[in-house]
Amino acid sequence: MEVGVLAVQGDFAEHIAVLSKLGVKAREVRLPEHLESLGGLIIPGGESTTLSRLMTLYNLREPLQKMAVEGRAVWGTCAGMIMISQEITENDPVPLGIMDIGVQRNAFGRQVDSFEQRLDIKAMGSDPFHAIFIRAPVIIRVGNDVEVLCALDDDRPVAVQQGNLMATSFHPELTNDYRFHSYFLELANGNSNGHSCGNGSS
Ligand code: GLN
C-alpha cells in the first residue's frame, strides 16, 4: 500500500519526512496520474487560495473528489482541511466539497495568528497532543456522519473524521509526535473504525 502527499504547494516536505520516519516512502503528487493506486493522500497546510488555483491548473479537482468517493483515505491539514471541506465562509478559494464540514479560514484573528495548545484526543491515546495552529481555520459545521475527534474549550471542532476522511486545523507534521500520521496510515490501510473523543475539559 502506497500513500501520497499533494506536493504542489505548502509544507508537503514535512509530511513526507514524518512518513519516512514511520518507514513509509510517500509519493509526491503533482498530477492526476500520480494518484493511481494510492491507498491515501495527505493535503498539506499552506495557502488555500494558491492550492485551489494549482488544483484547477493541474486538473486535480475531479481525480481528488473521485479518490474520496472511492473510499481511499484523504487527510487535510490546515489549508488542506479548507480544501476538502464542503463549504467555507468566503467565495474564494473554492473547496473540493469532499467532506461534510463547513470551515472558516483564519478563524483566530491576525494578532493571534499562531498558537500552540495541548489537546486531549482520545482517538490518539491518553497522552495530550501538542497542537500547532498557524493562521488556522476552524470547523463551524459538522455533518451527521462526521465524528469530532477533538474540539477546543469553546467547543469549536479542530479535528474530525468521516469514515476514510480526516481533517485537522493544526499541523501534526511540525511535531515529533507521529500519532496522527500513524492513524492516517491505518485509514489508508482500510481501518476506519469510529472513535469518540472530547477535549478532556468537559
Ligand atoms: N490561512 C491559510 C489559508 O487560509 C492556512 C494556513 C495554514 O495552512 N497553515 O489557506
Side-chain angles (χ1 to χ4, degrees), residues 45-49 78-79 82 105-106 134-135 171:
E47 177 51 47
S48 54
T49 49
C78 206
I82 295 166
R105 294 176 65 211
N106 303 323
I134 304 170
R135 286 177 55 77
H171 289 269

Side-chain angles (χ1 to χ4, degrees), residues 5-193:
V5 181
L6 188 71
V8 296
Q9 197 263 338
D11 76 334
F12 55 88
E14 284 79 357
H15 278 290
I16 290 170
V18 172
L19 291 168
S20 125
K21 288 193 178 127
L22 290 171
V24 175
K25 192 181 170 335
R27 191 190 299 169
E28 293 188 10
V29 171
R30 296 194 172 82
L31 296 168
E33 53 263 40
H34 299 158
L35 293 170
E36 216 167 280
S37 76
L38 287 183
L41 179 80
I42 298 176
I43 304 182
E47 177 51 47
S48 54
T49 49
T50 310
L51 261 180
S52 174
R53 274 169 205 132
L54 292 172
M55 278 180 190
T56 303
L57 189 68
Y58 297 129
N59 296 315
L60 280 160
R61 284 184 175 271
E62 218 182 275
L64 287 171
Q65 287 159 340
K66 189 165 161 255
M67 178 172 188
V69 170
E70 285 169 355
R72 295 192 273 161
V74 180
W75 173 23
T77 57
C78 206
M81 174 172 100
I82 295 166
M83 286 313 300
I84 68 172
S85 71
Q86 189 68 50
E87 80 271 346
I88 64 168
T89 50
E90 303 156 47
N91 294 327
D92 186 48
V94 179
L96 294 166
I98 62 183
M99 191 172 193
D100 193 10
I101 54 172
V103 169
Q104 182 189 354
R105 294 176 65 211
N106 303 323
F108 298 97
R110 284 216 174 127
Q111 66 280 32
V112 277
D113 282 342
S114 307
F115 64 97
E116 304 187 11
Q117 191 169 327
R118 285 168 80 76
L119 299 171
D120 287 322
I121 307 177
K122 272 194 197 127
M124 299 301 144
S126 52
D127 286 344
F129 192 90
H130 186 80
I132 301 176
F133 293 81
I134 304 170
R135 286 177 55 77
V138 82
I139 297 157
I140 53 170
R141 182 189 68 77
V142 289
N144 289 339
D145 296 334
V146 177
E147 186 180 2
V148 176
L149 297 177
C150 187
L152 298 176
D153 288 343
D154 61 11
D155 288 337
R156 290 189 290 177
V158 287
V160 289
Q161 182 182 346
Q162 181 184 0
N164 54 310
L165 310 171
M166 183 163 75
T168 50
S169 295
F170 48 90
H171 289 269
E173 75 284 6
L174 300 181
T175 69
N176 292 323
D177 188 337
Y178 306 148
R179 283 177 286 169
F180 269 94
H181 289 80
S182 301
Y183 193 82
F184 164 74
L185 291 173
E186 272 185 45
L187 292 184
N189 271 314
N191 303 322
S192 61
N193 301 326

